[in-house]
Amino acid sequence: MQTVSNSIQVSHLLLQKTVKNASVIIDATCGNGNDTLFLAQNAPFAHIYAFDIQHTAIENTIAKTKEYENRINYICDSHINIKKYINNTFINAATFNLGYLPSGSHSITTDATTTINTVDCIKNLLAPNGVISILMYPGHNAGAKEYKQLFEHTRTFDNHIFTVGWYCLHNHTNAPALCWIEKQG
């Protein structure tokens, strides 16, 4: 078992420093609430917007983050609609954990087009030194498509404004991958 090398652990290590003094954070795919809980525990001053399209995911997240509910908006809607909920404010951090809801239907997955459009929306709202963390799972068909399209899309980001890094386990077939986007300060 890996102790600090899987993509989720790397994402959390990178996010810890960024969210410590954050005021606005997006969990674009709250799923079972693990990332929302991590963000709430590590960002004591932040208001968190937790999105998911599935009622079950929102219920799971509410149950897991009950202690922090006064700092979290639980939104059962697609992350593509972020501007309906967040206006005229900078975002310090956003996280995506793509794919399907663990223990849920594998036929309901995130979509490459929606994800790319949402990432573009969020990157335009990022505060200086703000970050976007995107975990992808290329081991299933929708995840492989999303990974490939997002990999190509992020190549086009202006390197005078954004730094984009990719992390994956090189000798593990179809292991989760991490895309890290940082807006320069």
Side-chain angles (χ1 to χ4, degrees):
M1 177 179 186
Q2 299 126 358
T3 56
V4 198
S5 61
N6 81 44
S7 296
I8 295 171
Q9 293 163 331
V10 171
S11 172
H12 284 185
L13 284 171
L14 293 170
L15 281 167
Q16 269 183 318
K17 182 178 179 186
T18 303
V19 301
K20 187 168 63 172
N21 295 310
S23 56
V24 177
I25 300 174
I26 307 298
D27 184 347
T29 53
C30 66
N32 285 320
N34 296 321
D35 289 330
T36 308
L37 178 61
F38 170 83
L39 294 167
Q41 291 171 331
N42 288 280
F45 310 109
H47 193 83
I48 300 165
Y49 295 83
F51 287 83
D52 209 290
I53 61 168
Q54 297 182 68
H55 289 285
T56 301
I58 296 296
E59 291 167 5
N60 293 345
T61 301
I62 289 170
K64 190 163 278 184
T65 60
K66 194 83 172 142
E67 179 181 347
Y68 304 97
E69 68 184 0
N70 62 325
R71 296 192 295 115
I72 302 171
N73 280 32
Y74 305 95
I75 303 166
C76 191
D77 196 357
S78 173
H79 48 238
I80 193 69
N81 296 318
I82 190 170
K83 284 193 172 184
K84 281 176 43 179
Y85 305 94
I86 300 170
N87 286 319
N88 302 320
T89 188
F90 283 118
I91 296 169
N92 302 104
T95 185
F96 293 75
N97 196 331
L98 303 176
Y100 51 81
L101 179 64
S103 73
S105 171
H106 292 201
S107 65
I108 303 171
T109 67
T110 52
D111 172 74
T113 302
T114 304
T115 298
I116 288 169
N117 289 334
T118 304
V119 167
D120 284 346
C121 176
I122 291 173
K123 79 177 173 95
N124 292 328
L125 298 171
L126 275 181
N129 300 313
V131 299
I132 303 172
S133 169
I134 309 166
L135 287 160
M136 288 161 278
Y137 300 86
H140 63 92
N141 289 339
K145 180 180 178 184
E146 212 164 18
Y147 173 87
K148 183 179 178 183
Q149 289 184 14
L150 196 58
F151 187 84
E152 291 305 318
H153 181 68
T154 57
R155 285 181 193 268
T156 67
F157 288 13
D158 184 339
N159 65 3
H160 295 98
I161 301 171
F162 298 98
T163 298
V164 180
W166 284 80
Y167 175 83
C168 66
L169 299 178
H170 185 65
N171 66 340
H172 291 243
T173 305
N174 296 323
L178 169 65
C179 175
W180 183 263
I181 302 165
E182 184 172 356
K183 184 173 184 179
Q184 297 172 22

